[in-house]
Amino acid sequence: MLDDTKVSELIIDEYFKKLKSSLHLDAAIVGAGPSGLVAATLLARDGFNVAVYESKLAPGGGMWGGGMMFNEIVIQREALDILKMFNVRLKEHDNGYYTCDSVECTSALINSAVNSKVKLFNLVKVVDTVFKDDAVCGLVINWTPVEHMGLHVDPITVYSKVVMDATGHPAELANTLVRKAGVKLNTPSGGFEGERPMNAEVGERQTVENTKEIYNNFFVSGMAANGVCGGFRMGPIFGGMLLSGQKAYGLMKERIKRG
Ligand code: 48H
């Protein structure tokens, strides 16, 4: 006989364990797109306590839809090793181009993150940073539906040694940090530069170059890095996002270890 309330009890207990063990994190990553998922998985595989917050129901960001909803994506040679780590099948084409099924690739990144013990909180929107002693030291979170409905419900706070904005094109968290804390970022003007038009060649390179610590304990990856630092967009080629996640992993790991 199935006890209906036992089902409820198990869900409540397991969720609260996950939530409670995420109050003091090593790394808090905002956005479960490709760059955030790669960075989170690699950190978690090294034993760090990592959580990813995703405002939508489904993690995966902009990778599911391929290019204009044609669910294939293009990857360049430089990023192949990363996809191999995540067991994604690739098809080789001329001149160093590869393609893969965007649904397979996105679900593989999500699956690897959860398998590596990343705590993945979907339907949770990050609405602010915690700011102390000129550094970012945590996140302010709320349920996405609360934010969407404009309900006057206060959010809750988590602490983290490092925080990363992986929110894609809007670079939401970096925007909020500049607006509310009035800080000078590690960007050419010290402010928010804004994303530039399409140029795949340059945009892909810049995504990786722009992946960095832009304020104390505060990192940017993927399209958010290009938004903050003034990089070009690149369309449905995803090698740069994966490489950005890998670079962010290395930088955050070093920062956590330095303390
Ligand atoms: C919680 C949030 C919040 C918030 C947003 O856009 P993404 O896929 O991110 P990237 O940078 O890893 O990948 C970018 C890529 O998908 C892309 O858009 C490309 C290559 N574009 C090129 C072009 O020319 O258009 O994922 C970001 C995720 C999304 O799932 C959001 O829902 C989520 O972040 N998010 N989650 N709290 N405040 N804001």
Side-chain angles (χ1 to χ4, degrees):
M1 280 285 264
L2 274 177
D3 177 341
D4 301 270
T5 59
K6 184 71 189 168
V7 174
S8 310
E9 184 189 314
L10 287 172
I11 289 172
I12 293 166
D13 282 351
E14 289 307 305
Y15 190 83
F16 278 90
K17 264 189 231 160
K18 208 157 43 177
L19 192 60
K20 217 168 167 186
S21 66
S22 302
L23 292 178
H24 293 272
L25 294 161
D26 292 317
I29 295 176
V30 189
S35 67
L37 286 172
V38 168
T41 304
L42 298 180
L43 281 168
R45 283 182 183 174
D46 282 355
F48 293 107
N49 186 14
V50 185
V52 176
Y53 301 92
E54 169 54 53
S55 57
K56 299 221 167 87
L57 174 59
M63 203 181 229
W64 294 107
M68 214 182 92
M69 299 204 291
F70 305 145
N71 62 3
E72 290 283 329
I73 51 173
V74 172
I75 308 283
Q76 57 280 51
R77 199 190 301 278
E78 294 81 350
L80 288 193
D81 286 346
I82 302 178
L83 281 191
K84 283 185 188 145
M85 275 196 275
F86 288 86
N87 295 318
V88 176
R89 292 169 308 154
L90 290 145
K91 189 167 169 193
E92 188 171 1
H93 302 266
D94 298 338
N95 302 321
Y97 288 93
Y98 293 77
T99 52
C100 62
D101 183 297
S102 66
V103 174
E104 177 182 347
C105 189
T106 313
S107 50
L109 295 186
I110 299 166
N111 186 257
S112 297
V114 178
N115 266 333
S116 310
K117 299 204 164 41
V118 169
K119 279 164 277 188
L120 189 41
F121 295 100
N122 59 336
L123 290 169
V124 173
K125 192 169 170 80
V126 176
V127 293
D128 211 340
T129 54
V130 186
F131 191 81
K132 287 185 191 180
D133 302 326
D134 290 328
V136 173
C137 58
L139 293 176
V140 181
I141 61 173
N142 211 336
W143 298 116
T144 301
V146 165
E147 294 297 317
H148 277 205
M149 292 171 75
L151 302 179
H152 192 162
V153 178
D154 273 0
I156 60 169
T157 298
V158 300
Y159 280 162
S160 187
K161 291 175 185 159
V162 295
V163 162
M164 184 160 82
D165 183 338
T167 62
H169 292 273
E172 269 188 34
L173 209 59
N175 256 311
T176 306
L177 181 67
V178 171
R179 180 169 48 82
K180 296 185 79 170
V183 297
K184 211 164 163 356
L185 301 177
N186 175 17
T187 61
S189 72
F192 192 93
E193 308 292 340
E195 185 184 300
R196 306 189 72 194
M198 183 80 89
N199 184 330
E201 170 83 34
V202 179
E204 280 291 89
R205 194 183 66 242
Q206 288 177 329
T207 304
V208 183
E209 287 167 6
N210 292 333
T211 298
K212 57 184 175 184
E213 186 171 0
I214 55 158
Y215 197 72
N216 300 329
N217 304 340
F218 187 83
F219 294 75
V220 280
S221 70
M223 277 317 297
N226 274 359
V228 171
C229 300
F232 281 84
R233 71 187 300 181
M234 70 298 293
I237 177 159
F238 279 81
M241 299 303 132
L242 305 172
L243 290 162
S244 164
Q246 189 182 44
K247 180 179 174 189
Y249 148 69
L251 296 174
M252 287 192 284
K253 180 175 169 174
E254 195 188 309
R255 191 75 181 81
I256 297 165
K257 284 188 163 167
R258 249 189 299 136

